[in-house]
Amino acid sequence: QVQLVESGGGLVQPGGSLRLSCVASGTIFSISTMGWFRQTPGKQRELVAVITSAGSTVYADFVKGRFTISRDNAKNTVFLQMNGLKPEDTAVYYCNAKGIVQPKFLPGFDSWGQGTQVTVSS
């Protein structure tokens, strides 16, 4: 249906930066929201940031002032600029997208990527 592929994860020192990217592909008519979630072993997946097609954003309290989410609607791509990274940011980061597929009479989609590892350590 709709596939998401994340990239940009890696190892970074505390205080460093990373930029994650996620590209959606498939029989997409429109995407209403795209966002980032993260998960560590033993913890439930948690919201990091979400952006709508109109550009409105929602951030988790623990990333406000450090992370910025943006998207390129024409390319079905969402980005997460992560600055001032902390060790507690270490997690697998997952991309999520919700929207409408083609043909339009089908149910809307809610898709997840496979995740990209972010490790913050000295």
Side-chain angles (χ1 to χ4, degrees):
Q1 189 183 59
V2 176
Q3 296 79 44
L4 305 179
V5 179
E6 305 101 332
S7 63
L11 175 64
V12 65
Q13 294 185 343
S17 299
L18 286 173
R19 189 180 193 233
L20 306 183
S21 299
C22 172
V23 180
S25 62
T27 55
I28 301 170
F29 175 75
S30 64
I31 298 176
S32 59
T33 65
M34 298 188 79
W36 293 93
F37 295 71
R38 69 187 189 186
Q39 188 170 23
T40 57
K43 293 184 62 179
Q44 189 175 19
R45 190 172 299 183
E46 62 185 354
L47 181 145
V48 177
V50 174
I51 187 168
T52 70
S53 59
S56 61
T57 57
V58 175
Y59 292 95
D61 288 340
F62 55 81
V63 303
K64 287 182 177 178
R66 299 189 296 125
F67 293 5
T68 301
I69 189 170
S70 61
R71 66 188 288 177
D72 185 335
N73 291 336
K75 297 181 179 180
N76 291 331
T77 301
V78 64
F79 306 94
L80 184 67
Q81 179 66 48
M82 304 186 293
N83 299 324
L85 284 163
K86 305 174 181 179
E88 52 263 42
D89 293 320
T90 297
V92 177
Y93 284 70
Y94 296 90
C95 179
N96 172 256
K98 298 180 180 178
I100 302 172
V101 300
Q102 295 182 1
K104 292 182 286 185
F105 60 81
L106 293 173
F109 69 86
D110 184 354
S111 298
W112 294 87
Q114 294 298 306
T116 183
Q117 177 70 49
V118 172
T119 302
V120 185
S121 176
S122 298

